[in-house]
Amino acid sequence: MGLALHTTRQDGRATIAARGSIDLHSSDELRARLAELVDAGERTVVVDLTAVDFCDSSGLNVLVRAYKHARAQNATLTVTGAYGRVENVLRTTGLDRFLIAGPAEEAPADGR
């Protein structure tokens, strides 16, 4: 399965809902979209991983670089909706400590 990205803007926040797998073949698309949002002046960017079933090291690399780029632009980038294998890889690598949004933002709309 490839990667589909859908961006919404609401209440001063840009959310990218990702669906599918974030891997070597699809991570460039996510990287470009995240950079585009931050470079366009978005100050709060959320990556919703609720519908992502797989994320490899190239996907993690994109998230870390986007996080650093956002901070350099005085913006925030957080991840929400990570569960299963994706949540496990974030926790195992320690990236959950700075990428995963707090409890108020973390709960996806479908209650997972």
Side-chain angles (χ1 to χ4, degrees), residues 27-62:
S27 60
D28 280 344
E29 183 179 357
L30 178 59
R31 180 198 51 75
R33 184 78 59 93
L34 290 169
E36 178 183 300
L37 288 171
V38 172
D39 291 343
E42 294 291 344
R43 292 294 152 242
T44 304
V45 178
V46 177
V47 183
D48 182 354
L49 300 178
T50 303
V52 171
D53 57 5
F54 177 79
C55 182
D56 71 6
S57 61
S58 60
L60 295 177
N61 185 26
V62 165

Side-chain angles (χ1 to χ4, degrees), residues 6 10 13 16-17 20 29 33 37-39 43 48 53 56 74 80 87 93 96 100 110:
H6 178 71
Q10 183 177 356
R13 174 165 100 174
I16 297 179
E29 183 179 357
R33 184 78 59 93
L37 288 171
V38 172
D39 291 343
R43 292 294 152 242
D48 182 354
D53 57 5
D56 71 6
N74 294 317
T80 188
E87 179 184 28
T93 59
D96 62 312
I100 293 181
D110 67 357

Side-chain angles (χ1 to χ4, degrees), residues 22-23 27 30 49 55-67 85-86 88-96 98-99:
I22 304 172
D23 57 23
S27 60
L30 178 59
L49 300 178
C55 182
D56 71 6
S57 61
S58 60
L60 295 177
N61 185 26
V62 165
L63 293 173
V64 170
R65 287 177 180 262
Y67 172 84
R85 291 188 296 177
V86 176
N88 187 46
V89 76
L90 289 172
R91 292 196 190 289
T92 300
T93 59
L95 297 177
D96 62 312
F98 62 92
L99 284 179

